[in-house]
Amino acid sequence: MIIMNKKDGYTLIELLVVITLMVLLLGGGVATYFRFEERQSTEVVARELHRAFITARAKARFREKANCTSTERVIGFRTLIRDDGGTKKVDILSICGSSRIDYDGAEPNSVQNEGPTTVVYTIPDNVTLESPISTDLPYEVDFFTLYGGAWINGDPEPVQVPITVSRGVARYSFNIDGGADISPVVKLN
């Protein structure tokens, strides 16, 4: 006859300790995942917005054809960030006119004929845009052909302007200046 003095199984205390450790590890993993997702989605928005500005500048530099009238020609392209019924949208518009000189010193909306709109990107509602360009939408950045410069919200001589995209603690930024230089996207925190 064999007599067993050994315990079979685990005690209640051992089970509670293991379950507590698993819950703590799982909770930390979930929190880390959500922070990662927040950073990644914010970076994607910043890079898409950056790409829209780069695209408008490239269209202007290469004088891409647009549907201007026979008496007008493309003098630039506008990147427009606007509020469309609560949804923020980024558009690229062609700026048509007889010459760039007509555009100088005048209100931008009064001398140009905006060509067809290309909706480039829709900015998610949970993302915030911060910029000293304007406290309200729309933000407008006009890139010109030949001249190669940029007007930011109608200012013909803008200094370097930061555009910051944020969501929660994730913040990404890039700069645009009057010479149409656009800096790379950088993480701020």
Side-chain angles (χ1 to χ4, degrees):
M1 172 183 315
I2 299 175
I3 300 175
M4 295 182 69
N5 288 335
K6 238 171 129 180
K7 291 194 274 180
D8 289 327
Y10 299 104
T11 65
L12 181 59
I13 298 294
E14 290 172 332
L15 287 173
L16 286 175
V17 167
V18 169
I19 290 172
T20 302
L21 288 174
M22 289 175 59
V23 166
L24 288 173
L25 289 173
L26 182 64
V30 168
T32 301
Y33 169 76
F34 282 116
R35 278 194 308 272
F36 171 77
E37 190 276 329
E38 183 177 87
R39 281 192 315 269
Q40 288 299 103
S41 64
T42 306
E43 183 178 8
V44 165
V45 171
R47 291 195 183 282
E48 288 292 325
L49 187 57
H50 183 262
R51 184 182 58 80
F53 285 109
I54 297 281
T55 300
R57 182 183 67 183
K59 287 175 175 263
R61 285 185 176 170
F62 294 113
R63 297 186 68 171
E64 185 175 292
K65 298 291 183 196
N67 293 337
C68 297
T69 64
S70 60
T71 59
E72 297 177 327
R73 61 184 177 85
V74 174
I75 59 172
F77 282 86
R78 168 175 287 173
T79 302
L80 174 67
I81 304 171
R82 63 185 170 87
D83 187 355
D84 185 23
T87 303
K88 294 174 280 218
K89 294 194 175 185
V90 181
D91 301 326
I92 296 178
L93 307 134
S94 58
I95 302 170
C96 303
S98 56
S99 74
R100 167 82 172 52
I101 296 168
D102 293 338
Y103 201 84
D104 285 337
E107 285 295 315
N109 293 331
S110 65
V111 296
Q112 77 212 22
N113 171 29
E114 292 180 347
T117 303
T118 305
V119 177
V120 176
Y121 190 65
T122 301
I123 299 172
D125 292 336
N126 58 356
V127 172
T128 305
L129 291 177
E130 304 166 19
S131 176
I133 293 175
S134 173
T135 55
D136 297 316
L137 294 178
Y139 299 157
E140 299 172 350
V141 179
D142 299 335
F143 296 98
F144 295 103
T145 60
L146 300 178
Y147 164 70
W151 283 17
I152 301 173
N153 263 17
D155 184 0
E157 297 180 15
V159 294
Q160 191 173 56
V161 176
I163 306 278
T164 304
V165 177
S166 62
R167 177 179 167 214
V169 296
R171 293 174 45 118
Y172 292 85
S173 182
F174 60 92
N175 298 315
I176 303 173
D177 68 21
D181 290 327
I182 304 170
S183 70
V185 175
V186 294
K187 183 178 176 185
L188 296 179
N189 52 350

